[in-house]
């Protein structure tokens, strides 16, 4: 940015490193009793929808006061955006052509690529519930290809990795993904990667980390050239 007094350019880029927890977030957590009718509709869609229909989720969705954590608190601040955004997230998690393992592999690829603490914290726990092993999780967190025995999972991983890193698919990867997954699932995969990258930006800008008392993920060191 430009300093308004000196006219000199100032380096105001955010510093890399762990994101603080909810107590240091830029958007205060909203109490359920303080919500407007429009905000209440978002709150009930998040807490009363498919994310909780099978029981408590394996990650912190709300704190002991009922205040939403992670990306969900930000959705309350703009209900007209937050309501369809949370519905898109629910559709991607519960109404796609993917298996639960495939979906979590793709999501964790994105979380690791953008080093989103809360995304990794939440979806590591979901992935573990759906059968991802510690070795597979470690590989995904470190940006390596896990040893996957299922061809669909390998294609999901490679396509999600390329989408997260390049924002595109090479012809060979596109052709293989369309043939193996089908066009419907490929559209869903591209949307999933975009959705979780968008949430990662919100989480970074609003300084939303893992819930208080939880340890952030142990990301591998960034190479000296600054590229993954």
């Amino acid at each position: 940015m430009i300093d308004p007094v000196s006219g000199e350019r100032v380096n105001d880029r955010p510093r890399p490193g762990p994101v603080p927890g909810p107590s240091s977030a830029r958007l205060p957590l909203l109490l359920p009793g303080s919500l407007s009718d429009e905000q209440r509709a978002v709150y009930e869609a998040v807490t009363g929808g498919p994310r909780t229909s099978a029981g408590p989720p394996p990650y912190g969705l709300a704190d002991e006061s009922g205040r939403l954590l992670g990306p969900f608190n930000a959705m309350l601040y703009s209900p007209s955006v937050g309501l369809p955004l949370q519905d898109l997230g629910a559709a991607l998690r519960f109404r796609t052509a993917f298996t639960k393992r495939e979906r979590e592999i793709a999501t964790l690829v994105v979380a690791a690529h953008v080093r989103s603490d809360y995304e990794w914290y939440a979806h590591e726990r979901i992935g573990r519930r759906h059968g991802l092993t510690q070795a597979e999780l470690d590989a995904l967190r470190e940006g390596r290809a896990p040893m996957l025995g299922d061809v669909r999972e390998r294609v999901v991983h490679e396509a999600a990795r390329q989408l997260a890193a390049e924002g595109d698919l090479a012809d060979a990867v596109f052709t293989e993904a369309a043939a193996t997954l089908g066009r419907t699932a490929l559209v869903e995969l591209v949307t999933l990667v975009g959705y979780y990258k968008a949430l990662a930006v919100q989480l970074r800008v609003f300084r939303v980390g893992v819930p208080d008392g939880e340890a952030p993920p142990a990301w591998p060191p960034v190479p000296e050239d600054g590229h993954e």
Side-chain angles (χ1 to χ4, degrees), residues 98-113 119 123 132 140 153 156-161 163-164 188-190 192-193 196:
F98 298 117
T99 68
K100 294 174 181 178
R101 274 180 55 96
E102 290 167 357
R103 182 194 68 223
E104 293 310 314
I105 287 169
T107 304
L108 289 167
V109 165
V110 178
H113 178 76
E119 270 186 12
H123 287 275
L132 290 179
L140 291 167
E153 291 182 357
V156 165
H157 173 268
E158 176 56 24
R161 184 204 64 77
L163 283 166
E188 293 169 349
L189 180 60
V190 173
L192 181 149
V193 171
Y196 282 106

Side-chain angles (χ1 to χ4, degrees), residues 68-115:
L68 295 182
L69 301 175
F72 305 109
N73 180 61
M75 295 176 186
L76 297 175
Y77 277 83
S78 176
S80 62
V81 172
L83 191 60
L85 188 61
Q86 75 79 31
D87 188 57
L88 175 58
L92 291 169
R93 278 195 60 194
F94 303 105
R95 305 195 296 269
T96 67
F98 298 117
T99 68
K100 294 174 181 178
R101 274 180 55 96
E102 290 167 357
R103 182 194 68 223
E104 293 310 314
I105 287 169
T107 304
L108 289 167
V109 165
V110 178
H113 178 76
V114 299
R115 295 184 174 225

Side-chain angles (χ1 to χ4, degrees), residues 107-165:
T107 304
L108 289 167
V109 165
V110 178
H113 178 76
V114 299
R115 295 184 174 225
S116 180
D117 289 353
Y118 184 90
E119 270 186 12
W120 182 270
Y121 151 81
H123 287 275
E124 177 190 35
R125 285 156 176 75
I126 299 170
R128 201 183 298 277
R129 174 177 284 184
H130 296 318
L132 290 179
T133 67
Q134 188 62 52
E136 291 167 339
L137 290 167
D138 288 343
L140 291 167
R141 178 174 45 81
E142 295 167 6
R144 298 183 285 108
M147 298 293 291
L148 300 170
D150 183 86
V151 64
R152 280 181 53 97
E153 291 182 357
R154 292 198 300 270
V155 171
V156 165
H157 173 268
E158 176 56 24
R161 184 204 64 77
Q162 194 169 108
L163 283 166

Side-chain angles (χ1 to χ4, degrees), residues 204-226:
R204 172 61 61 181
V205 169
F206 300 132
R207 303 295 190 262
V208 180
V210 299
D212 288 334
E214 297 285 350
W219 302 118
V222 177
E224 292 185 2
D225 62 6

